[in-house]
Amino acid sequence: MMMPAPSAPWHFLSREVALVCDDQGAITWMDERAARLLEVLPGTPLRALAAKATEDKVDRLITLTRDERVEGWEVILCVGGMPRTFAFRGAPYEGGAALVGSLVPEDYAASLSQVSETMSELAAMHRETERNQRELKRRADELTRLNRDLEESNRGVRTLHAELDEKTESLVRAAEIKSRVVANVSHEFRTPLHSILGLARLLNNPANGTLSGEQLKQVQFIRTSAEALFELVNDLLDLSKVESGKATLRPTRFAASDFLGALRGMMRPLVSADSAVELRVEEPPDLLLETDEAKVSQVLRNLVSNALKFTEKGHVTVSAEKGPDDTVCFRVSDSGIGIAPEHLERIFEEFTQVESPLQKKVKGTGLGLALSRRLAEFLGGSLTVRSELGRGSTFTFTLPRVHPEVEELQGLTERSQHLDPARAPVLVLEDDRQTLFLYEKYLERSGFQVLPVRTVEEARRTLQRVRPAAVVMDVMLEGETSWSFLAELKAGETTRDIPILVVTLMDREQKARALGADEFWLKPVVEEQLLRKLTAMARTGPVQKLLIIDDDDVHRYLLRQQLKDTPYILAEASTGPEGIRLAREQSPHLIFLDFVLPDMTAFDVLDELKADSRTRDIPVIIHTSHQLQEQERQRLAKETATIVAKHTLSREVAIARIRDALQKTGLGTDKGEGRRG
């Protein structure tokens, strides 16, 4: 092994030293870098350079290298008085050892130290982890115990809830029975009262005979008592309706100024010309309300009537102003006897009257204020009072300017203007707002969208812009019936196959079915029953043969399952050419086409279909999970029936889109069936 003296410039940049030792370990030759770095002369034993306590390792290196090749032997030599690590490799040479050592970077030792420290930290973390695991196990055992305790508590709570439910049901039944009894008894009272009042009026009429003064007085007592009883019966009826939830809302749009003007005219006869009480009605600001005008009027008439009764002199003032959060505040103030603080809430209780000398003069039912507060709450508002004994009272009736139900119906109507492609539209002809809300709640979690209409004319306008999957209608509407509209739908060429469900209060099933209704129910409607029936109705249709062209096995399977148990026969193709061939051979009534195919684009398939007279008129529904560009969407809108995203394609949507596509092309009629065969 020749060891030429290195003199190339790169040597001075090297991190290696070369040297030769004899069989005793003395240095016999070294290169220039080794001489400069180690600062020793030939003849110096290599072990003399070893760091303290590492001499034996240097001796073993020399011994091994005399006999065989050595790689990666690390020793620590002192360089300039500082220990430095060298990695030696060597081979036998003339009975001694030739060595080449690479100076290990100074940070190596630090790295080793860092590794050692890291290992120590890891060991500490391991011990800490074990301690945490023991703590977690202890806590898990504690949680298990607590869960057992909670489960026992839950069983007790469920038992209490069951008992409360039973008591609640009992109270509800009792309240319903009370309301029915009150309503029935009140109705029974009305007939004889009408007779008594009518007879009293006849007796008072001189044309029917002359009565003595005493007799006239007696007849007047009868009439006054009958009128008081009639007022009590009316209040009881109104109160029972509100309490039982059977009060109906009939909202109209009216101006506050017109309303108060009419109220002034109604209440003026209660104030005689020589009365010491003045009825004032202040001009209100420009306010437009949309709520039940009759019930608002009933509340204010009660308040004004009460104020006039308990005011011997002074004034009764009616005013209106804008309130916070789009409300209207009506106030009825008087200069009457006032109400003591302890009685301010009692006056709103049923059959409760505050004892006073004036109270004895003006007998009442004790229902007026109770009914007024219930009506105020029914209208979404409140009725409060502020009073001081001897200085009068102020009743404040606050209500939303637009009734919440009106706003909800407006929202329902606005939502219906924007058809959801993921839901099948159902036209609902119903004049009762609460029933419309129920239908929307029932159907919003299903594959149907409610299109609400309250009149036959609205229904006709809606049918001009959309073809529903089904129609749900009440035949007894406010101010009209829809019998003729039912007959009209079933006679129309474009609407006769739309399923119609008649839901009403009157048992007229025979007439409904004679006019073509597919189903007839009496109100109220059960949610599950409605969904089952609409789903079954949406399946019906005159079309039999469909074709799906889609390379995705899963989506073909999903559509096949969605159309299971329907009259449709579904053919399948996994490629564009195969789909075109099947379309030509089988003449399907409708094609479901995926936008992205492995061998052709949807536009290529459409071009092939349009070029062939056998397939040109077949409607195509694009169903895809691809994000369409605007240009693509515009072109597809011209050449296809509709576009449906794959993730929104439910059973109801698929059936509704099939019906809509075929109706547009005239293939949904019996005539079309015969033409396509």
Side-chain angles (χ1 to χ4, degrees), residues 583-645:
R584 290 168 177 166
E585 293 175 358
Q586 299 186 7
S587 296
H589 295 90
L590 183 138
I591 296 174
F592 278 90
L593 174 61
D594 189 10
F595 183 75
V596 180
L597 295 169
D599 45 7
M600 303 176 71
T601 68
F603 295 118
D604 294 332
V605 176
L606 289 170
D607 290 341
E608 291 284 343
L609 294 174
K610 299 300 180 186
D612 193 322
S613 60
R614 293 171 294 177
T615 57
R616 183 178 301 135
D617 297 328
I618 300 176
V620 176
I621 293 178
I622 294 291
H623 71 128
T624 182
S625 54
H626 178 70
Q627 185 69 36
L628 296 173
Q629 301 296 321
E630 186 58 31
Q631 287 182 331
E632 295 172 333
R633 186 174 290 277
Q634 289 177 1
R635 181 178 171 186
L636 289 172
K638 295 176 182 177
E639 299 183 19
T640 65
T642 189
I643 302 170
V644 179

Side-chain angles (χ1 to χ4, degrees), residues 63 86 92 130 145 307 315 380 392 430 445 496 540 644 653 660:
T63 303
F86 288 84
E130 287 184 336
R145 185 185 62 79
H315 64 85
E430 172 63 62
R445 293 181 295 273
R496 64 165 63 106
T540 61
V644 179
V653 171
D660 289 345

Side-chain angles (χ1 to χ4, degrees), residues 46-316:
L46 184 59
R47 66 172 291 149
L49 300 176
K52 188 176 181 182
T54 65
E55 294 88 347
D56 291 344
K57 191 172 183 180
V58 172
D59 290 341
R60 288 198 301 276
L61 171 63
I62 299 296
T63 303
L64 285 172
T65 310
R66 285 184 318 206
D67 300 327
E68 59 185 28
R69 284 183 173 274
V70 174
E71 294 286 342
W73 190 279
E74 289 188 1
V75 295
I76 301 175
L77 303 179
C78 291
V79 177
M82 299 296 294
R84 302 292 296 275
T85 301
F86 288 84
F88 279 101
R89 62 185 186 278
Y93 179 73
E94 297 181 353
L99 301 172
V100 177
S102 298
L103 184 63
V104 178
E106 292 182 0
D107 57 355
Y108 181 72
S111 299
L112 290 176
S113 175
Q114 182 66 33
V115 168
S116 177
E117 291 178 5
T118 303
M119 293 298 292
S120 298
E121 291 177 2
L122 286 172
M125 290 175 63
H126 179 68
R127 290 192 295 273
E128 181 67 16
T129 300
E130 287 184 336
R131 188 184 66 80
N132 289 338
Q133 286 178 338
R134 290 193 297 271
E135 178 65 16
L136 285 173
K137 186 177 182 305
R138 185 187 65 79
R139 293 187 179 183
D141 293 341
E142 180 68 16
L143 282 173
T144 302
R145 185 185 62 79
L146 289 173
N147 282 335
R148 285 197 299 269
D149 294 344
L150 284 172
E151 182 59 32
E152 292 176 0
S153 300
N154 284 338
R155 284 196 292 271
V157 170
R158 285 195 294 268
T159 302
L160 289 174
H161 280 174
E163 294 176 2
L164 286 172
D165 287 341
E166 290 178 6
K167 292 186 180 297
T168 301
E169 289 178 5
S170 176
L171 290 172
V172 168
R173 283 196 300 271
E176 289 177 351
I177 291 170
K178 185 202 79 170
S179 297
R180 284 200 298 270
V181 168
V182 169
N184 291 335
V185 170
S186 300
H187 277 296
E188 292 299 324
F189 271 130
R190 275 187 163 183
T191 301
L193 281 173
H194 278 300
S195 301
I196 294 171
L197 286 170
L199 291 170
R201 281 191 289 269
L202 283 174
L203 289 172
N204 270 333
N205 190 343
N208 295 316
T210 304
L211 299 178
S212 66
E214 190 64 27
Q215 289 172 328
L216 282 172
K217 184 184 295 186
Q218 293 169 359
V219 170
Q220 188 59 39
F221 284 150
I222 293 172
R223 182 174 177 179
T224 302
S225 299
E227 286 175 347
L229 187 55
F230 190 69
E231 182 183 348
L232 172 62
V233 168
N234 285 336
D235 286 348
L236 276 172
L237 269 176
D238 291 337
L239 194 61
S240 66
K241 284 181 181 179
V242 175
E243 286 183 340
S244 63
K246 294 181 180 178
T248 56
L249 182 76
R250 293 184 173 85
T252 56
R253 186 174 296 180
F254 59 94
S257 56
D258 296 338
F259 171 75
L260 289 183
L263 182 70
R264 181 195 294 114
M266 282 188 288
M267 304 307 295
R268 186 172 290 154
L270 296 180
V271 183
S272 59
D274 57 350
S275 173
V277 181
E278 178 188 3
L279 176 61
R280 303 173 183 171
V281 178
E282 297 181 355
E283 186 65 26
D286 187 15
L287 288 171
L288 191 64
L289 292 86
E290 195 164 358
T291 186
D292 194 322
E293 183 178 6
K295 289 182 173 56
V296 176
S297 177
Q298 187 174 357
V299 172
L300 288 176
R301 287 200 311 271
N302 278 341
L303 296 179
V304 172
S305 177
N306 267 2
L308 290 172
K309 287 179 184 177
F310 297 105
T311 303
E312 293 182 295
K313 61 180 179 177
H315 64 85
V316 172

Side-chain angles (χ1 to χ4, degrees), residues 25 37 172 314 483 521 527 589:
L37 189 64
V172 168
W483 291 115
W521 289 347
E527 179 179 0
H589 295 90

Side-chain angles (χ1 to χ4, degrees), residues 32 39 48 63 93 96 157 205 223 238 245 248 253 269 279 334 347 366 405 409 427 446 525 529 537 540 552 611 663:
E32 184 179 347
E39 298 178 348
T63 303
Y93 179 73
V157 170
N205 190 343
R223 182 174 177 179
D238 291 337
T248 56
R253 186 174 296 180
L279 176 61
D334 64 64
I347 60 174
E405 280 191 19
L409 185 62
L427 180 68
S446 69
V525 174
Q529 182 187 17
M537 282 180 163
T540 61
D552 191 323
Q663 184 64 29

